[in-house]
Amino acid sequence: MNTESHPHTWRRSFMPVVENIPEARHGAQLVLVSWAVPDDVSGTVALILTELATNAVRHARRPGRTFDVALAHDGEKTIEIEVFDASPHHPVVNSFDPAATSGRGLLLVEALCDDWGVRDREFGKSVWARVVG
């Protein structure tokens, strides 16, 4: 499933500032309710979206460029989360450091989703995750 071509989609653009991460999460939660996604799946999707959006803001922002978030639902059990940013650099999964105060986002995404990856784009990339509820 690709969020750009699926009929059940939601997409929004945000300036890459930390204050917009909760706004992206809230918008996603509202659309998940409208799609009647169960609460446990909705919570997982919102958490994954938050982690991917945080990475876009912290590590991939470029002057004058937004980050975009998108959801696609197959109408049954599969939801794809996708976060687009302007950086060509792919994210790296860090090894777990119990003393670190950050750097666990992609480990969390890996643990919560059924699959994830990166799609190169003409300007930047998208990081996607798939959840089957």
Side-chain angles (χ1 to χ4, degrees), residues 10-93:
W10 172 82
R11 183 173 176 157
R12 289 220 23 222
S13 296
F14 298 91
M15 292 306 299
V17 294
V18 172
E19 294 81 9
N20 284 334
I21 296 168
E23 182 68 25
R25 180 184 178 117
H26 180 70
Q29 289 171 315
L30 290 175
V31 79
L32 292 166
V33 167
S34 76
W35 290 342
V37 173
D39 289 344
D40 59 332
V41 176
S42 178
T44 298
V45 168
L47 182 54
I48 291 169
L49 182 137
T50 300
E51 293 299 331
L52 296 180
T54 299
N55 284 349
V57 169
R58 293 179 89 189
H59 305 293
R61 69 175 143 191
R62 298 289 185 262
R65 299 284 186 162
T66 62
F67 76 95
D68 299 348
V69 296
L71 298 177
H73 189 324
D74 69 357
E76 295 190 21
K77 293 188 175 214
T78 303
I79 298 171
E80 191 167 292
I81 306 107
E82 196 162 15
V83 176
F84 306 82
D85 64 57
S87 172
H89 303 293
H90 286 214
V92 176
V93 179

Side-chain angles (χ1 to χ4, degrees), residues 1-12:
M1 182 174 8
N2 183 331
T3 60
E4 292 182 337
S5 62
H6 199 275
H8 300 288
T9 61
W10 172 82
R11 183 173 176 157
R12 289 220 23 222

Side-chain angles (χ1 to χ4, degrees), residues 88 90 118-126:
H90 286 214
V118 179
R119 292 183 181 109
D120 290 316
R121 304 186 57 175
E122 183 177 357
F123 298 103
K125 67 177 174 308
S126 69

